[in-house]
Structures are given as structure tokens and as C-alpha cells.
Amino acid sequence: MAAAMSVETDISRNEPIHFVIPAFPAKSPNRSKVLGSTPDLGENIALGFLQSLCDYVGHFYSPGARITICSDGHVFGDVVGVSDILVTEYRDEIEKLVATAGWMSLDMFGLDDAFGSQDYPKLRDVLECDYSDSLEELKESIRTDAATRALFDGIHRFMFEDAMSACEGDVSKTKIRNQSKASAYQTIRRSNAWSRVVSEHFPDALRLSIHPQPPHSEKFGLHLVGTSDSWLTPWHGVVLDDGVHR
């Protein structure tokens, strides 16, 4: 119902249908998954796909669509082991890709845009204090809600894989699994808080998500690149051109 109202609002104003998607945070710190810290062919393909989505809408509705990429790297970079400097460099390169390709339907929005400052540790404190659920509330949701539990399992898997890759010395898998579980909780709490900030700034926009979504969800899940893994994103992997056209 909310999605239908958002579309109706844009159409009544003869404006592009507005989508928002929290995505493109930063490259994974796990160098067994990625080649470096800057965007590559994966991001280029994903951004091109988002632009093509807007173009497709334009075939049926002349004002078309636009997508605001709500980059969440500064939201939880410290939790996943990516510095604010690398997050900023990654976003800058994403913006260069968009500008170079002339993808006029895409724009960016980040933590500094929301709160008007680049003091990221302080902004994360504001985010947790003013927008975040408690850890107890999140754990209860994971216990009782299948979609939240699936989200936690997916993020925990990524956290554990990255922690194992970075592990040095004689550290047990059990310890690493428990540490990555704590990081997964923190990441989801921050991510949910960021979703509230995004909703506050873009109350009439349609929500897209990089994560699988259950039926009748308020968000629409997207595959940004062709992959058999519903959780794989361009910043958690490397594109391989095998010469086969699909």
C-alpha cells in the first residue's frame, strides 16, 4: 500500500518515480574475495543495471525513474574493518563511474549528507543513540521473525568468512564465530538505524534492497549482478568474464 501511494504521488506530480537503495558501502576487507579497495567491473555492471532499470521505467512512463544510492559504508565500516578513508575513496570512485558513464538517473546520499558533518565516529554515535534498536530487541526479532533470522545468518556468514581470512595465530573457529556474531549484531543494528534515517529523508521513495526479501515486504530485493548466490554483491566478489553470453 505504501509503495502504491509513493508511485501515485510521483505520477500526480509528473515526476520521476523515486527509488532509494542502501548499497555500495566499500570493498570487503577480505582480499580472498576482492582484488582491492576500489570499485571495479562488478560495480560498473551493477550501476549500469540500476540505470537500465530507470530507463526501462521510462519506456512506460515518460518522466522515468531515479535511484538514490544511500551509501552505508560510513555507517558500519568500523565494525567490518574498513577505515573511513577507504570508504570515502570508494564512494568518490563510484561517483566518478556514474559521471563518466553519464548515468543521470543515479545519485548518492551518505551519512555526511544526512547529518551535515564528516566527523564519522560522532555521527555513528548519533545514529546509535537516536535511531538504533537495542541489542535485546534485535535478538528477539531474530528469534521470532524468519526474515530477520535469514538476514542475520547471511551477514554472520560474511563476517565469519572475512574474520577467518584475516585470522593470524592460533585462534579457534569457535572464538572467531562468536566474535563475528557480535559484529553481525552490530552491523544489523546500524543498518536498521540507517534505514530509519533514509526513510526520514526520503519518506515518499520506494525502497530497494540488496538482500533477499520475503513476499509482501516493504522493500523490493534486487540482484545487482548475475549470480547464483542471492547474497553476493559486487563489493564481496570479483566479476569473471568467461566469454559466455547469457
Side-chain angles (χ1 to χ4, degrees):
M1 182 65 70
M5 291 179 63
S6 297
V7 172
E8 288 176 359
T9 298
D10 289 332
I11 292 176
S12 68
R13 297 170 179 167
N14 199 38
E15 295 177 348
I17 295 171
H18 188 201
F19 297 90
V20 294
I21 181 168
F24 299 91
K27 280 293 191 184
S28 168
N30 185 345
R31 290 299 180 262
S32 66
K33 290 182 177 181
V34 299
L35 299 177
S37 60
T38 55
D40 52 37
L41 181 60
E43 279 84 357
N44 199 50
I45 292 173
L47 292 166
F49 163 70
L50 292 179
Q51 177 65 45
S52 72
L53 176 61
C54 297
D55 295 339
Y56 186 75
V57 172
H59 288 301
F60 303 94
Y61 172 62
S62 58
R66 63 188 182 97
I67 297 176
T68 298
I69 298 168
C70 300
S71 179
D72 43 10
H74 288 300
V75 170
F76 48 72
D78 61 318
V79 179
V80 301
V82 181
S83 71
D84 286 319
I85 292 174
L86 288 180
V87 171
T88 298
E89 290 177 352
Y90 179 86
R91 173 176 167 167
D92 288 346
E93 291 300 316
I94 290 291
E95 291 180 327
K96 289 178 184 177
L97 284 175
V98 170
T100 300
W103 289 322
M104 302 299 293
S105 299
L106 308 181
D107 62 86
M108 302 284 290
F109 179 82
L111 197 59
D112 45 351
D113 300 303
F115 294 141
S117 167
Q118 293 186 340
D119 186 345
Y120 297 112
K122 182 179 291 185
L123 297 187
R124 286 189 284 268
D125 288 342
V126 172
L127 194 67
E128 288 206 30
C129 180
D130 294 348
Y131 294 92
S132 179
D133 292 328
S134 69
L135 178 58
E136 291 71 24
E137 289 171 319
L138 174 59
K139 288 182 175 180
E140 178 62 22
S141 182
I142 291 170
R143 282 193 294 267
T144 58
D145 181 70
T148 306
R149 185 161 57 253
L151 175 66
F152 172 78
D153 289 342
I155 292 178
H156 184 208
R157 172 166 67 94
F158 278 128
M159 294 289 188
F160 178 68
E161 290 171 352
D162 291 352
M164 286 294 296
S165 175
C167 178
E168 296 181 357
D170 186 19
V171 182
S172 71
K173 281 190 176 182
T174 299
K175 182 175 181 179
I176 293 174
R177 193 176 299 277
N178 288 335
Q179 290 173 340
S180 60
K181 182 180 290 187
S183 296
Y185 284 136
Q186 185 74 331
T187 298
I188 295 174
R189 289 181 65 226
R190 297 261 191 94
S191 181
N192 289 344
W194 179 234
S195 290
R196 294 185 179 101
V197 173
V198 170
S199 295
E200 186 178 276
H201 281 264
F202 305 106
D204 296 326
L206 290 168
R207 285 295 304 272
L208 303 176
S209 176
I210 61 170
H211 298 134
Q213 298 297 311
H216 312 298
S217 171
E218 64 179 14
K219 304 175 185 177
F220 299 91
L222 293 180
H223 270 168
L224 294 180
V225 290
T227 170
S228 59
D229 183 344
S230 296
W231 290 88
L232 187 60
T233 66
W235 48 93
H236 275 111
V238 176
V239 171
L240 171 66
D241 183 357
D242 59 7
V244 178
H245 297 285
R246 296 180 175 87

